[in-house]
Structure formats: C-alpha cells, structure tokens
Amino acid sequence: MDLFDCIVIGSGHAGSCAALSAVEHGCQRVLIIDKCPEEWVGGNGYFTAGAHRTVHGGLYDLLSIVKNRPSPEVLERIDMTPYTRENFASDIMRLGDGKSDPALVDALVDNSRDAVDWLAKYVGTPFTFSFNRQAYEVNGRQKFWGGMVLSVEDGGKGLIAAHQRALEKAGVMVWFDSPALSLVTKGDSVSGVVVRKDGQEVELGARAVILAAGGFEASAELRERHLGAGWKLARVRGTPYNTGDGFALAKAVGAKFTGDWGGCHSTCWDASAAADAGERDLTNQFTKSGYPLGIMVNANGLRFVDEGEDYRNYTYAKFGRAILHQPGGFAFQIWDSKVIRHLRKEEYGDGITEKIFADSLSELADKLAGHGLGQKSTFLETLDHFNAAVRHHRDEYPGLQWDPAVKDGFSTQSSVTKLALPKSNWALTLDTPPYMAVKVACGVTFTFGGLSIDARSAAVLSESGREIGGLFCTGEMVGGLFYNNYPGGSGLTAGAVFGRKAGRAAAQTIR
C-alpha cells in the first residue's frame, strides 16, 4: 500500500493552498486527488475573477504584492480607503445576520493579510489592483469602493495557473480522474483514502487527509433537497464536479455538519448560459453585476429588489437568489445611455451577452416581450413611477452628486414620493436613449453548509465535538462561516487561510 504524508481531496484553490502549506511545513510525499479530468483542474476557483478580500492599510500597504503597480502620477490620483479588521469582521457578521461562527470569522479576518502575502510570494499569485471591477473614475480620480481591491491577473485562470506551477515546483503529485470512494480509519482516526485509479480501487495510506472537495451546488438533486423548491433551475457557474461527494466521505466517519445548509452564494448570471456547468473560456464573464447603475424588473414588469441597497459586493449573492424566485426564474437589467459606459466590458461586451437596444421605452417593452416580458403596460408604469420618484428626490436635494464609488444617497424617496420598494443609492432616471436591457437568471457558485472544524487547525470535528484524528478541511466544505449572504472576495481568502492551517496541521501530525 502506498503511504503518503498528506492526501488532499480536491484540486481547486483551497486544496492547492493546503497541499503547498503541507510541503512548506515538512511533508515530503503529498498527493492531490480529484475526480475531474485534468482539463477541469481548479474547481470553482478557475471560474472566479480572482478577487481576494483582505485587511489592508490602504494603497501603499499593498503595492509590494501587485503586478500592475501604477506610475507615481497615477498613484496620486487613486483613492483607496484602508480596510480594517473591524470592517471585515463587521461585514461578514452583518451580512450573515450575526449567525457566523465568531471563531471562524476571527481566524479568516486576522489571517487574511498574511494569506495574500503568502499567495503572492510563496505561490507566485499575480495579484493586481482591481481597477476594472472595484474602482470608478470620478472627477479624474480612481475611487475604489466596497472594501475589496485585489484581483488576479487573468482572473481565476491566472490563479489556478499559478497554483499549478507552484505544485509542480514543490513536487506535489496530482491524480485526475481519481474519485475518492471512502476514508480509511484506524481507531478514531483517519489513516488513508480508497480511490478509484485507472478503473481499479486502490487503498492509499496517509498520515493526514485534507478535504477540499467543494460543496454540492452542481447536484440538482441536492440543491432541491437542501436549498428548496426551484433550485433545480439555477445555472451552475463553475465546475460540474462539486456534487457533495466530500460530505458523504465525512459523514461515514462521524463528522459533524454545521452552518447554513439552506444558503448559497449565487449571482446575477447570463440567462443564455448553460445550465449544468460554467464555460471555461468565458468563466466569470457570464456574471452580470451592473444592476446598481440601473434597475431590474421581472417577467411581470415589476422591480423586486432595491438595486442600490448596498455596494454590489454585498448584494449580488442574495440578488441571484431573488431572481430565481421571480416568475420564470429570470429578470431584465435595464439602463439608459447615461450609464452604459460604466458597465464592465468583460461582462457586457459584444459577443459576451445578448444586448437589447431601443430608442424608446415603449419600443424596449415590445422587444422584451419577445424575451419573456409578459406585462408591457405594467413595465411602462413601473418605469414612469420610478422616474417620477427620482425627479422628486433630485428636486428636493439639488446639492447631491451622483457618485457610483460611494453610497451617494441618490434615491427614490422624498417628501413628495416614496416608492414601496426604494432604490436607496445611485438612482438615475431612465429617460435618455438609447436604452439597453440584458436578460439574467440565477447562477449558483457554492453552498454555505459544511463541516464543523477547529478554527485554529482546520481539524474536522466529530458529532461529539472532538477532533477526528488526521482529518482536516478547507474551502467550500467548511460550514459555519457564511450565512444567507457574504462579502464578495471572502471565499478565495478563506480557502487560503484555512488551507494553510490544514496543511500546517497535517505536517504537525507527522512530527
């Protein structure tokens, strides 16, 4: 029987971080196994924009780790507010309705800055300032917003490519087309993995096993069971191989389950995208995150969310879910010519999505009818009421300035008119043709329910609350961190933080 110091189940960002950390701390024989074929390496991390949320002290704190360091002249025109420990922890707890495990939150937040530094210097992750996603040019200045400033060159593709180079350099073996069938136990501890390799069941010994196999979002059956009715209709944003296998392995050895099993990370997703998997060429480009600059209406012509409730980083996960529960499971995002130039080209460019243009709102309604809009009159009435409410607010507060980089207070609520469903920020009239609309659906990224772990070591806990010897967990399989919603960019950072902890603890089991 082959014996390894550490076996990691899952080849994504979190699993790669765990394997590299295990080597860094002394493991000699480290193996990653994954049921996907090699061309699907990287799990969901491959389909991201590479965004990492971290505590930082502002612009000059992060200059040493970014590849796109601006020139001195550009630096003088950048506004980047420090993102404190309190900011990060508060955002997670606020969006999770106070339900997140404080120990996990503290571990993520307090190790976030060190984790991105490690990714840059040890892994070789090509971090960049996210000008295209997290900054708007306002009055000649680049203004970052929403607390998150780091992405990766070439997005998730660049992130996973960096991991692949680092794994090869570290001597980590990777087996694809090799699903884990069961965990081997000795007493109360895990001592190996049974894997199907080249059609044969093979038992591998391991002093430590790290679970990094993702959630269950790619299983329509499990989505329906845990998330609720209608979730079969959600479109899978990333890998089709995250079908809950890791949870079955953990359940068989008595692991404790925890967290929000009815919640998930979702987003506004292109309605024409495939249902069962992401597209490896376009990856995150099917995301449609421009709704704060316009409005969204459902098939009945009604708005259904406050598009300006908060920064996009803090609303897209729950607004994706809101779209799923609209008639037909879709919606339309709508803008006029005043803001179209602010939409991200990687999401709304030619050849990326079908854009519906019109020179009048009535013409737009006629065109949207061919895409599922069922109530033209209601649609036009919604827009009339919205525009009137914005104008009344503008008249009442003439000193306000529209600014997409701050919560500007440009709303629909005034002493004259208060919409039942407000738009709280960035509310502009839709009255300047041409108008543009895009049809969107719900894209599901990862699920929130998972395993209970020790926040210090990432060790998996049993149903009795004790550590299961030799078994650790990271990535989307960790439960108790996110509830209902989450701050954008936290997932990749969490994968790195707990992956490093798991790898370090795995090495300590050998010593």
Side-chain angles (χ1 to χ4, degrees), residues 174-199:
V174 185
W175 292 359
F176 295 102
D177 295 303
S178 302
L181 304 179
S182 62
L183 298 176
V184 179
T185 58
K186 184 177 181 180
D188 294 331
S189 298
V190 170
S191 58
V193 181
V194 176
V195 59
R196 182 179 292 117
K197 174 70 170 171
D198 298 326

Side-chain angles (χ1 to χ4, degrees), residues 135 217 239 443 482:
E217 71 281 347
T239 177
F482 304 126

Side-chain angles (χ1 to χ4, degrees), residues 192-267:
V193 181
V194 176
V195 59
R196 182 179 292 117
K197 174 70 170 171
D198 298 326
Q200 302 294 318
E201 290 190 14
V202 180
E203 183 174 325
L204 306 175
R207 293 184 171 91
V209 174
I210 300 175
L211 297 172
F216 59 82
E217 71 281 347
S219 167
E221 177 188 349
L222 292 180
R223 290 200 307 270
E224 192 91 352
R225 182 189 308 172
H226 294 293
L227 303 182
W231 276 97
K232 284 186 177 180
L233 298 176
R235 289 158 170 77
V236 177
R237 275 187 67 188
T239 177
Y241 293 95
N242 282 5
T243 52
D245 303 24
F247 295 131
L249 298 175
K251 183 177 182 180
V253 297
K256 181 180 180 180
F257 288 64
T258 190
D260 181 11
W261 281 81
C264 67
H265 170 300
S266 57
T267 193

Side-chain angles (χ1 to χ4, degrees), residues 266-268 291 296 304-309 315-324:
S266 57
T267 193
C268 306
Y291 58 84
M296 288 198 291
F304 55 94
V305 295
D306 177 353
E307 303 91 343
E309 171 188 319
T315 59
Y316 67 79
K318 70 174 185 178
F319 283 1
R321 181 170 61 250
I323 291 171
L324 182 72

Side-chain angles (χ1 to χ4, degrees), residues 63-305:
L63 282 180
S64 65
I65 67 170
V66 295
K67 297 291 185 181
N68 63 339
R69 180 176 178 135
S71 67
E73 293 77 15
V74 174
L75 285 174
E76 292 297 321
R77 294 187 286 107
I78 296 175
D79 295 329
M80 185 183 294
T81 304
Y83 190 63
T84 67
R85 181 201 186 283
E86 291 70 26
N87 294 150
F88 198 170
S90 174
D91 281 341
I92 296 175
M93 297 303 288
R94 172 175 62 88
L95 297 180
D97 297 325
K99 297 178 182 178
S100 298
D101 184 332
L104 293 178
V105 174
D106 288 346
L108 168 57
V109 171
D110 292 336
N111 291 279
S112 62
R113 181 64 182 83
D114 190 47
V116 297
D117 201 53
W118 178 82
L119 284 166
K121 296 175 181 177
Y122 185 81
V123 180
T125 305
F127 282 116
T128 61
F129 284 138
S130 188
F131 289 103
N132 64 321
R133 295 180 59 83
Q134 293 297 142
Y136 288 111
E137 184 172 341
V138 180
N139 297 325
R141 301 191 64 79
Q142 289 286 343
K143 300 178 68 171
F144 281 85
W145 51 272
M148 188 173 66
V149 300
L150 289 177
S151 58
V152 173
E153 191 175 78
D154 206 20
K157 298 176 184 179
L159 175 67
I160 298 305
H163 276 306
Q164 292 300 295
R165 291 190 295 268
L167 291 168
E168 182 178 7
K169 182 178 179 181
V172 175
M173 292 171 278
V174 185
W175 292 359
F176 295 102
D177 295 303
S178 302
L181 304 179
S182 62
L183 298 176
V184 179
T185 58
K186 184 177 181 180
D188 294 331
S189 298
V190 170
S191 58
V193 181
V194 176
V195 59
R196 182 179 292 117
K197 174 70 170 171
D198 298 326
Q200 302 294 318
E201 290 190 14
V202 180
E203 183 174 325
L204 306 175
R207 293 184 171 91
V209 174
I210 300 175
L211 297 172
F216 59 82
E217 71 281 347
S219 167
E221 177 188 349
L222 292 180
R223 290 200 307 270
E224 192 91 352
R225 182 189 308 172
H226 294 293
L227 303 182
W231 276 97
K232 284 186 177 180
L233 298 176
R235 289 158 170 77
V236 177
R237 275 187 67 188
T239 177
Y241 293 95
N242 282 5
T243 52
D245 303 24
F247 295 131
L249 298 175
K251 183 177 182 180
V253 297
K256 181 180 180 180
F257 288 64
T258 190
D260 181 11
W261 281 81
C264 67
H265 170 300
S266 57
T267 193
C268 306
W269 197 242
D270 198 301
S272 63
D276 298 327
E279 214 285 325
R280 286 187 74 85
D281 287 333
L282 294 177
T283 61
N284 193 56
Q285 290 181 266
F286 282 135
T287 299
K288 297 291 171 276
S289 60
Y291 58 84
L293 304 183
I295 66 169
M296 288 198 291
V297 300
N298 62 20
N300 294 332
L302 297 171
R303 292 174 56 243
F304 55 94
V305 295

Side-chain angles (χ1 to χ4, degrees), residues 375-382:
Q375 299 290 335
K376 176 181 176 179
S377 60
T378 302
F379 170 77
L380 293 174
E381 185 177 303
T382 294

